[in-house]
Structure formats: C-alpha cells, structure tokens
Amino acid sequence: MALVHKLLNGMCILRKYPQPSVALCPFLSTRVAGYCSKSLQKPVATPSKGSSQRHTEEALQGHHQREVALDITSPEEKPEVSFDKAITDEIKDHFRRLKDDIMNHWIGPEGRPLQEVLLEQAKVVWQFRGKEDLDKWIVTSDKTIGGRSEVFLKMGKNNQSALLYGTLSSEAPHDGESGRSGYCSMISKVPRGPFERKRSYDWSQFNTLYLRVRGDGRPWMVNIREDTDIIQRKNQMYSYFMFTRGGPYWQEVKIPFSKFFFSNQGRIRDAQYQLLVDKISSIGFTLADKVDGPFFLEIDFIGVFTDPAHTEEFAYENSPVLNPRLFK
C-alpha cells in the first residue's frame, strides 16, 4: 500500500508542475530531443554490395516502366476520327468504281470481249472458297416472326463448300396472330454498283440452272427473284423444287428456267408468267417440309449453262380466263 501511495503522489506532482517549454530552455530541449530520437531509432545496417546492386536494378526497372507507360495511350484519350476524310475516301472509292464500270462497258459485258461472252456455254455465278464468299449471302428463319427454327451458314471441310445447317421447328409462335411456322432460308444479296445502285444478273444466253449440292434427303425450294422497283412485286418470285438424295455423295442438279413457276407471298398463282432471265436480282433456298429436326445442305457452286437438248420455252399453259393480258 505504501508503494501505491508513493506512485499516486508522484503523478500529482507531475501534473502540478508543467513541462519546460522549448522557448524557455532551447539548449535543454535540443539535447533531450536528440537523445530521445537516437534511442528510438532502429539500428541501420551498413549497405553491402549486393543490396546496392539490387537497389540499382529496381531503380532501372522503375525507370523503364515509366518510359513504357508514356508510350501507352490512356483509355481516356480517344483517337481522332475525321468524318470529312472518311466521306471523301468513300466518294473517291465510288467514283473509282464508276470509272471501272464505264471502261468495262466499252470493252464488253463484265469487262470481257463480246465474242467471248457470246460463245460462253457455262458460267459459275457463286462458289464458296472463303469467308468473302459467305458474305454475299444472308440466312433467315421463322425467328423473325417468333418461331423456334434456327439456321447457320459456315464454310465446309477444307474451305471448298458452304454448309447450311440448323434445326427446323414447325411450332407456331404464341403471339395470337401467326398460325403457321417452320421455315429456314438462304438468300443471296442483291449486287450493288457505284453509289449503291442495284445491279442484276443477265442469264439470257443460258437456259438451265446448274448446282452441285449434297443434302440429307430433304426437299428444298429454289427461289429466283427478278429485279424490280415496284413495291407490289417485292413478294413475287419464281420457284422450283430440288430433291436431295442424302448420303455422302455429291449430286448435280439441273433445273431449266422454263420450269420455274410464278408465286406471290408463298402461294402459286393461277396466272403464270415466264421468268425474265435477263433481270435476275437474287436466288435463294428454302426448307419448309414440316418435318421437325436437324437438317443440312452443302453447296459447292451455283452456275448456269446452255443445254442444247432443252428447247422448251415455257412449261405452263395459260388461257384467256386465267391470264387475259397475254391474249389481248
């Protein structure tokens, strides 16, 4: 108890007498502060040769990182985009293409001599040897109206063909409007010229469509559209069936142009018209056989040729009742 009493008295004495100020005793405060700082500092080891070399390497690495950081573009800094330059380059490209078209027109159709074109008996219009050939086509299905069919297009084995595959589903969409569904299509893009002018294919010197395909036994519909600017004719096309055999072997399909029948909005019309082969806009393939499940169609090339044995001009009859405009 006596020891505790002494400690308490000492603490009271320290509280009564303030600590000496630095202004009053500058010499004493400096000596005390130096002593305290020396006593509290940790012992510092003398730098050795290995530690100095390590510090030097770290300094060089930090300097190198700062230099690299200066070369990297900050994500906040966006590259400058000149819209005027982009528009100018686009206009120059269109004028260059227009110049090439004018020069090719003086030489002949498609820039070839007229004699060579007239003597041509066969021509490959579409073939699939790379991704740029796939970019000329688009695929679509009943997903656009809420269906569940899926279709994809990719390059085949060894980049020597195009593979169209997917899954067909005839389940109607639950939207309360569509009552039927189940189709998948592959359609060629409309060719464009300078300044996005529409072009057309002229197959007037040929009489047969020629395809080399390999399928799974399903029937396909081959559709051909004419080049027209009339809105009422945007759903009109000419169609014919293509039956695949299935199996691992390729088959060559030849369809005369005279066999294509006229349809509008998917329905065959009573009044039939002949296909104008000098104004072809696009060609497509449609699967809608109402058989749910996977499918595939592999295409090597699509072309046209002249069959001397085929002399038929139009395969379907007309009458004044069905098509009075033809008999005026």
mmCIF file of all heavy atoms in Angstrom, residues 213 215-222 240-246 251-253 255 297:
data_model
loop_
_atom_site.group_PDB
_atom_site.id
_atom_site.type_symbol
_atom_site.label_atom_id
_atom_site.label_comp_id
_atom_site.label_asym_id
_atom_site.label_seq_id
_atom_site.Cartn_x
_atom_site.Cartn_y
_atom_site.Cartn_z
ATOM 1 N N VAL A 213 -24.666 -29.987 -105.171
ATOM 2 C CA VAL A 213 -25.041 -29.939 -103.762
ATOM 3 C C VAL A 213 -24.931 -31.334 -103.157
ATOM 4 O O VAL A 213 -24.782 -32.339 -103.856
ATOM 5 C CB VAL A 213 -26.477 -29.390 -103.584
ATOM 6 C CG1 VAL A 213 -26.589 -27.978 -104.132
ATOM 7 C CG2 VAL A 213 -27.487 -30.307 -104.254
ATOM 8 N N GLY A 215 -27.063 -33.124 -99.747
ATOM 9 C CA GLY A 215 -28.026 -32.906 -98.678
ATOM 10 C C GLY A 215 -28.306 -34.142 -97.865
ATOM 11 O O GLY A 215 -27.599 -35.158 -97.945
ATOM 12 N N ASP A 216 -29.387 -34.043 -97.072
ATOM 13 C CA ASP A 216 -29.764 -35.134 -96.167
ATOM 14 C C ASP A 216 -31.077 -35.794 -96.570
ATOM 15 O O ASP A 216 -31.705 -36.462 -95.750
ATOM 16 C CB ASP A 216 -29.872 -34.606 -94.740
ATOM 17 C CG ASP A 216 -30.821 -33.420 -94.637
ATOM 18 O OD1 ASP A 216 -31.336 -32.994 -95.685
ATOM 19 O OD2 ASP A 216 -31.035 -32.918 -93.515
ATOM 20 N N GLY A 217 -31.487 -35.605 -97.823
ATOM 21 C CA GLY A 217 -32.707 -36.237 -98.299
ATOM 22 C C GLY A 217 -33.941 -35.366 -98.218
ATOM 23 O O GLY A 217 -35.027 -35.799 -98.627
ATOM 24 N N ARG A 218 -33.814 -34.154 -97.721
ATOM 25 C CA ARG A 218 -34.971 -33.267 -97.611
ATOM 26 C C ARG A 218 -35.231 -32.545 -98.941
ATOM 27 O O ARG A 218 -34.306 -32.280 -99.695
ATOM 28 C CB ARG A 218 -34.758 -32.230 -96.518
ATOM 29 C CG ARG A 218 -34.841 -32.780 -95.091
ATOM 30 C CD ARG A 218 -34.533 -31.681 -94.111
ATOM 31 N NE ARG A 218 -34.650 -32.089 -92.728
ATOM 32 C CZ ARG A 218 -35.678 -31.784 -91.929
ATOM 33 N NH1 ARG A 218 -36.699 -31.082 -92.418
ATOM 34 N NH2 ARG A 218 -35.706 -32.177 -90.679
ATOM 35 N N PRO A 219 -36.491 -32.184 -99.208
ATOM 36 C CA PRO A 219 -36.800 -31.377 -100.410
ATOM 37 C C PRO A 219 -36.635 -29.894 -100.113
ATOM 38 O O PRO A 219 -37.093 -29.384 -99.084
ATOM 39 C CB PRO A 219 -38.261 -31.734 -100.698
ATOM 40 C CG PRO A 219 -38.833 -32.075 -99.353
ATOM 41 C CD PRO A 219 -37.716 -32.663 -98.540
ATOM 42 N N TRP A 220 -36.014 -29.195 -101.033
ATOM 43 C CA TRP A 220 -35.787 -27.761 -100.902
ATOM 44 C C TRP A 220 -36.513 -27.034 -102.019
ATOM 45 O O TRP A 220 -36.811 -27.616 -103.068
ATOM 46 C CB TRP A 220 -34.291 -27.440 -100.962
ATOM 47 C CG TRP A 220 -33.525 -27.884 -99.750
ATOM 48 C CD1 TRP A 220 -33.129 -29.159 -99.459
ATOM 49 C CD2 TRP A 220 -33.078 -27.066 -98.674
ATOM 50 N NE1 TRP A 220 -32.450 -29.184 -98.268
ATOM 51 C CE2 TRP A 220 -32.404 -27.917 -97.763
ATOM 52 C CE3 TRP A 220 -33.163 -25.710 -98.388
ATOM 53 C CZ2 TRP A 220 -31.833 -27.437 -96.588
ATOM 54 C CZ3 TRP A 220 -32.595 -25.235 -97.229
ATOM 55 C CH2 TRP A 220 -31.946 -26.096 -96.334
ATOM 56 N N MET A 221 -36.752 -25.768 -101.801
ATOM 57 C CA MET A 221 -37.350 -24.906 -102.807
ATOM 58 C C MET A 221 -36.296 -23.914 -103.281
ATOM 59 O O MET A 221 -35.697 -23.195 -102.476
ATOM 60 C CB MET A 221 -38.543 -24.145 -102.236
ATOM 61 C CG MET A 221 -39.273 -23.298 -103.245
ATOM 62 S SD MET A 221 -40.449 -24.234 -104.234
ATOM 63 C CE MET A 221 -41.758 -24.488 -103.041
ATOM 64 N N VAL A 222 -36.054 -23.886 -104.601
ATOM 65 C CA VAL A 222 -35.127 -22.929 -105.198
ATOM 66 C C VAL A 222 -35.935 -21.739 -105.685
ATOM 67 O O VAL A 222 -36.858 -21.896 -106.497
ATOM 68 C CB VAL A 222 -34.344 -23.568 -106.359
ATOM 69 C CG1 VAL A 222 -33.343 -22.578 -106.930
ATOM 70 C CG2 VAL A 222 -33.624 -24.830 -105.880
ATOM 71 N N TYR A 240 -38.951 -23.535 -107.890
ATOM 72 C CA TYR A 240 -38.996 -24.926 -108.334
ATOM 73 C C TYR A 240 -38.365 -25.778 -107.241
ATOM 74 O O TYR A 240 -37.571 -25.290 -106.442
ATOM 75 C CB TYR A 240 -38.274 -25.137 -109.662
ATOM 76 C CG TYR A 240 -38.686 -26.421 -110.353
ATOM 77 C CD1 TYR A 240 -39.916 -26.529 -110.991
ATOM 78 C CD2 TYR A 240 -37.848 -27.526 -110.349
ATOM 79 C CE1 TYR A 240 -40.302 -27.707 -111.606
ATOM 80 C CE2 TYR A 240 -38.228 -28.706 -110.966
ATOM 81 C CZ TYR A 240 -39.462 -28.793 -111.600
ATOM 82 O OH TYR A 240 -39.849 -29.948 -112.203
ATOM 83 N N PHE A 241 -38.717 -27.083 -107.259
ATOM 84 C CA PHE A 241 -38.281 -27.972 -106.193
ATOM 85 C C PHE A 241 -36.920 -28.593 -106.513
ATOM 86 O O PHE A 241 -36.602 -28.863 -107.678
ATOM 87 C CB PHE A 241 -39.313 -29.083 -105.972
ATOM 88 C CG PHE A 241 -40.659 -28.574 -105.544
ATOM 89 C CD1 PHE A 241 -41.695 -28.449 -106.463
ATOM 90 C CD2 PHE A 241 -40.891 -28.204 -104.239
ATOM 91 C CE1 PHE A 241 -42.932 -27.976 -106.084
ATOM 92 C CE2 PHE A 241 -42.125 -27.730 -103.837
ATOM 93 C CZ PHE A 241 -43.143 -27.614 -104.756
ATOM 94 N N MET A 242 -36.165 -28.827 -105.460
ATOM 95 C CA MET A 242 -34.889 -29.520 -105.564
ATOM 96 C C MET A 242 -34.887 -30.642 -104.525
ATOM 97 O O MET A 242 -34.980 -30.389 -103.321
ATOM 98 C CB MET A 242 -33.718 -28.558 -105.310
ATOM 99 C CG MET A 242 -32.352 -29.236 -105.374
ATOM 100 S SD MET A 242 -30.976 -28.090 -105.046
ATOM 101 C CE MET A 242 -31.255 -27.727 -103.309
ATOM 102 N N PHE A 243 -34.782 -31.877 -104.983
ATOM 103 C CA PHE A 243 -34.819 -33.038 -104.100
ATOM 104 C C PHE A 243 -33.399 -33.566 -103.901
ATOM 105 O O PHE A 243 -32.725 -33.945 -104.877
ATOM 106 C CB PHE A 243 -35.730 -34.130 -104.693
ATOM 107 C CG PHE A 243 -37.151 -33.683 -104.898
ATOM 108 C CD1 PHE A 243 -37.569 -33.188 -106.121
ATOM 109 C CD2 PHE A 243 -38.060 -33.739 -103.863
ATOM 110 C CE1 PHE A 243 -38.876 -32.770 -106.322
ATOM 111 C CE2 PHE A 243 -39.374 -33.320 -104.039
ATOM 112 C CZ PHE A 243 -39.783 -32.837 -105.271
ATOM 113 N N THR A 244 -32.969 -33.607 -102.665
ATOM 114 C CA THR A 244 -31.639 -34.144 -102.345
ATOM 115 C C THR A 244 -31.758 -35.629 -102.027
ATOM 116 O O THR A 244 -32.753 -36.089 -101.447
ATOM 117 C CB THR A 244 -31.031 -33.399 -101.153
ATOM 118 O OG1 THR A 244 -31.900 -33.506 -100.015
ATOM 119 C CG2 THR A 244 -30.850 -31.923 -101.488
ATOM 120 N N ARG A 245 -30.721 -36.364 -102.375
ATOM 121 C CA ARG A 245 -30.750 -37.811 -102.201
ATOM 122 C C ARG A 245 -30.281 -38.242 -100.819
ATOM 123 O O ARG A 245 -30.649 -39.315 -100.339
ATOM 124 C CB ARG A 245 -29.866 -38.477 -103.258
ATOM 125 C CG ARG A 245 -30.382 -38.348 -104.673
ATOM 126 C CD ARG A 245 -29.650 -39.296 -105.597
ATOM 127 N NE ARG A 245 -28.253 -38.972 -105.702
ATOM 128 C CZ ARG A 245 -27.703 -38.318 -106.715
ATOM 129 N NH1 ARG A 245 -28.469 -37.888 -107.708
ATOM 130 N NH2 ARG A 245 -26.414 -38.075 -106.741
ATOM 131 N N GLY A 246 -29.448 -37.448 -100.190
ATOM 132 C CA GLY A 246 -28.850 -37.886 -98.939
ATOM 133 C C GLY A 246 -27.628 -38.761 -99.195
ATOM 134 O O GLY A 246 -27.356 -39.185 -100.320
ATOM 135 N N GLN A 251 -24.353 -34.518 -105.723
ATOM 136 C CA GLN A 251 -25.280 -34.658 -106.836
ATOM 137 C C GLN A 251 -25.334 -33.355 -107.620
ATOM 138 O O GLN A 251 -25.209 -32.258 -107.051
ATOM 139 C CB GLN A 251 -26.687 -35.036 -106.351
ATOM 140 C CG GLN A 251 -27.375 -33.967 -105.515
ATOM 141 C CD GLN A 251 -28.761 -34.393 -105.089
ATOM 142 O OE1 GLN A 251 -28.962 -34.785 -103.944
ATOM 143 N NE2 GLN A 251 -29.717 -34.324 -106.013
ATOM 144 N N GLU A 252 -25.489 -33.486 -108.906
ATOM 145 C CA GLU A 252 -25.583 -32.337 -109.798
ATOM 146 C C GLU A 252 -27.041 -32.125 -110.183
ATOM 147 O O GLU A 252 -27.680 -33.017 -110.732
ATOM 148 C CB GLU A 252 -24.715 -32.553 -111.037
ATOM 149 C CG GLU A 252 -23.227 -32.663 -110.711
ATOM 150 C CD GLU A 252 -22.385 -32.873 -111.957
ATOM 151 O OE1 GLU A 252 -22.989 -33.034 -113.037
ATOM 152 O OE2 GLU A 252 -21.155 -32.876 -111.847
ATOM 153 N N VAL A 253 -27.537 -30.938 -109.871
ATOM 154 C CA VAL A 253 -28.940 -30.607 -110.101
ATOM 155 C C VAL A 253 -29.014 -29.633 -111.269
ATOM 156 O O VAL A 253 -28.336 -28.601 -111.268
ATOM 157 C CB VAL A 253 -29.576 -29.993 -108.836
ATOM 158 C CG1 VAL A 253 -31.036 -29.654 -109.086
ATOM 159 C CG2 VAL A 253 -29.429 -30.940 -107.659
ATOM 160 N N ILE A 255 -31.876 -27.512 -113.438
ATOM 161 C CA ILE A 255 -33.271 -27.072 -113.490
ATOM 162 C C ILE A 255 -33.415 -26.075 -114.624
ATOM 163 O O ILE A 255 -32.836 -24.985 -114.573
ATOM 164 C CB ILE A 255 -33.714 -26.427 -112.170
ATOM 165 C CG1 ILE A 255 -33.413 -27.350 -110.979
ATOM 166 C CG2 ILE A 255 -35.187 -26.070 -112.212
ATOM 167 C CD1 ILE A 255 -33.707 -26.718 -109.639
ATOM 168 N N LEU A 297 -27.461 -28.715 -95.705
ATOM 169 C CA LEU A 297 -27.325 -28.659 -97.160
ATOM 170 C C LEU A 297 -25.950 -28.091 -97.462
ATOM 171 O O LEU A 297 -25.633 -26.965 -97.059
ATOM 172 C CB LEU A 297 -28.408 -27.784 -97.789
ATOM 173 C CG LEU A 297 -28.327 -27.618 -99.310
ATOM 174 C CD1 LEU A 297 -28.612 -28.939 -100.010
ATOM 175 C CD2 LEU A 297 -29.297 -26.538 -99.795
#
